[in-house]
Amino acid sequence: MNANPIPFGRPWITDEEKKAVMDVLGRDVLTHGPESKAFEEDFAAFAGGGGHAVSVSSGMAALHLAYFQMGVGPGDEVIVPALTHVATVHAVEVVGATPVFVDCDPATGNISPEGIEAALTPRTKAIGLVHFVGIPCAMDRIMAVAEARGLKVVEDCAIAIGSRFKGKHVGLFGEAGCFSFYPVKQMTTGEGGMFITRHSETAERTRKARAFGVDRSFTERTFPGMYDVLSLGVNYRMSDIAAAIGRVQVRRLPEIAARRKAHFNQLKSALKAVPEVRVLDSQTPAAENSHYCLSAVLQGRAGDKRNEILIKMKDAGVGTSVYYPQPVPRMTYYKKKYGYDPKRFPQAEAVSDRSIALPVGPHLSAEDVGRVAETFIKIIREAA
Ligand SMILES: *Cc1c(COP(=O)(O)O)cnc(C)c1O
């Protein structure tokens, strides 16, 4: 074991976040108050494009609300990527709709417009895509397919904070963009998430659904404690403590993003020398990657030894991960419910079974990145 291990991810919290939390703790409102509202405004301003932001308790909460407020349910089909976090698909499943899985593009890991078109049926109501490890999907072509068929698009942007397509932030193309602030994402609030949309009625419905369907917040009440409920809802509110962390983090995002980008580029150029490695990345300058991690798909014999390589990296003190460990349709819950045909998702399987995600987070120094590359290349050469 190396004495000085490099973790795959580590939240980057400064004295500013700590002070912001202490300030909230000195006030009377700890949740769903002025800090959450200010964070929504800050995040909407960061994303730009005139979007509305609704703060929520997690990325999963944002995804669930996206389908819930849309009224998608039993009998409806939603096209989803096979290669994603299970939350992208669980959100469809929990509202009672049926996920229809599509394989990914081998160069980016993203769902392709052609794959979506091939999966359309008369029951298709929506497309739930993910911007894989920060690489934006081909949103112009996907929106053209969706608009031609009157389909709603839900963008899982959980690890694509700062990703843009043709200059527009991801999450602002379709009906909703869902972000996560879980500790290892591009920015954190501990637990937390954000729902963004260009559509003001969608934002309003989601705001209400997030807080029990209550018709007015306590600041809007004429008589203390008096309110009515016009629609069904849940409690997915964000606390003001989390929002205070988020406000500082979103302000620090340009610095965080610059570090991620520099680390990704350093690692990617070091890996050019290794024919056994194929790096997933944007294929066009229009798609601006936000560099969640560097996903390296191993070719040939190195690919067959992926798990062995993961262990060797760990022993050498370099944190790695796998995005994602299984195509979602191969996970037991989905396999049991819908069956699994191993021939249907060869590209998703290649990424799940033959890739390694390397760290590029702001917690690394340039020397750390050098060590990640050196260690990885040495271990691959031994395995190949
Ligand atoms: C992390 C993640 C989620 C879930 O976000 P939580 O905040 O943990 O609920 C959803 N989708 C993707 C792609 C993720 O990486």
Side-chain angles (χ1 to χ4, degrees):
M1 193 65 197
N2 193 290
N4 189 12
I6 300 169
F8 175 75
R10 181 194 281 156
W12 188 15
I13 300 293
T14 66
D15 286 345
E16 271 192 272
E17 283 88 345
K18 291 175 192 170
K19 182 179 177 301
V21 167
M22 293 311 286
D23 286 350
V24 171
L25 291 177
R27 299 181 203 149
D28 292 337
V29 181
L30 295 187
T31 193
H32 205 217
E35 206 66 21
S36 308
K37 193 156 185 300
F39 181 35
E40 291 175 349
E41 283 159 14
D42 293 354
F43 196 85
F46 157 75
H52 310 272
V54 182
S55 59
V56 291
S57 51
S58 71
M60 178 74 217
L63 287 162
H64 183 195
L65 285 174
Y67 295 104
F68 177 81
Q69 62 81 27
M70 201 190 281
V72 166
D76 298 332
E77 288 179 359
V78 179
I79 295 175
V80 289
L83 183 69
T84 185
H85 188 291
V86 72
T88 316
V89 188
H90 271 2
V92 172
E93 194 71 16
V94 291
V95 297
T98 305
V100 175
F101 293 102
V102 170
D103 202 7
C104 66
D105 173 86
T108 61
N110 277 325
I111 197 166
S112 68
E114 298 78 23
I116 291 170
E117 281 192 302
L120 292 168
T121 79
R123 296 202 300 164
T124 309
K125 284 284 164 12
I127 300 164
L129 55 83
V130 69
H131 300 289
F132 187 70
V133 297
I135 306 167
C137 293
M139 291 315 295
D140 48 356
R141 293 176 54 213
I142 291 175
M143 289 312 298
V145 173
E147 278 159 13
R149 300 279 303 239
L151 305 176
K152 299 265 169 84
V153 175
V154 174
E155 300 173 61
D156 185 340
C157 309
I159 49 178
I161 305 165
S163 299
R164 290 169 184 272
F165 186 82
K166 292 194 174 162
K168 185 156 143 186
H169 201 288
V170 296
L172 291 169
F173 289 85
E175 167 82 356
C178 302
F179 294 80
S180 165
F181 307 129
Y182 185 75
V184 297
K185 316 282 177 168
Q186 278 97 340
M187 59 169 273
T188 188
T189 59
E191 289 275 11
M194 195 68 83
F195 176 104
I196 68 172
T197 181
R198 281 175 296 132
H199 312 285
S200 50
E201 308 89 76
T202 300
E204 250 346 278
R205 273 199 309 278
T206 306
R207 274 181 212 290
K208 294 213 166 20
R210 155 191 72 178
F212 307 115
V214 164
D215 66 341
R216 68 205 98 161
S217 77
F218 71 92
T219 52
E220 295 160 346
R221 290 170 199 167
T222 315
F223 302 102
M226 297 297 285
Y227 59 83
D228 192 10
V229 170
L230 309 177
S231 54
L232 189 59
V234 289
N235 174 9
Y236 284 160
R237 293 178 304 217
M238 174 177 269
S239 81
D240 273 27
I241 303 163
I245 304 172
R247 291 188 71 195
V248 177
Q249 289 260 302
V250 81
R251 195 162 69 231
R252 292 179 53 228
L253 257 180
E255 185 192 3
I256 297 173
R259 288 182 68 107
R260 285 186 175 275
K261 182 175 185 175
H263 296 163
F264 183 94
N265 289 338
Q266 186 186 340
L267 207 46
K268 190 179 175 188
S269 34
L271 294 177
K272 281 217 174 85
V274 194
E276 292 87 355
V277 167
R278 192 164 60 74
V279 172
L280 301 186
D281 197 0
S282 301
Q283 300 299 302
T284 125
E288 292 171 52
N289 191 346
S290 60
H291 311 104
Y292 173 70
C293 64
L294 182 143
S295 182
V297 187
L298 307 177
Q299 311 296 297
R301 276 164 51 77
D304 300 338
K305 295 189 181 167
R306 196 277 309 270
N307 288 357
E308 206 177 295
I309 295 169
L310 284 175
I311 299 289
K312 286 190 174 156
M313 291 291 286
K314 186 172 167 220
D315 290 346
V318 177
T320 60
S321 190
V322 177
Y323 285 80
Y324 285 91
Q326 308 235 37
V328 176
R330 201 173 75 188
M331 288 177 168
T332 302
Y333 171 83
Y334 288 98
K335 190 154 92 179
K336 277 194 174 153
K337 186 156 181 184
Y338 300 107
Y340 185 70
D341 176 357
K343 292 184 293 295
R344 273 188 61 202
F345 309 106
Q347 302 303 338
E349 287 203 341
V351 177
S352 287
D353 299 339
R354 307 173 80 84
S355 81
I356 294 186
L358 299 173
V360 302
H363 60 296
L364 305 181
S365 64
E367 295 80 69
D368 289 336
V369 180
R371 208 179 106 205
V372 171
E374 224 172 86
T375 310
F376 188 54
I377 293 170
K378 180 168 164 282
I379 291 172
I380 297 228
R381 295 225 159 109
E382 284 165 9

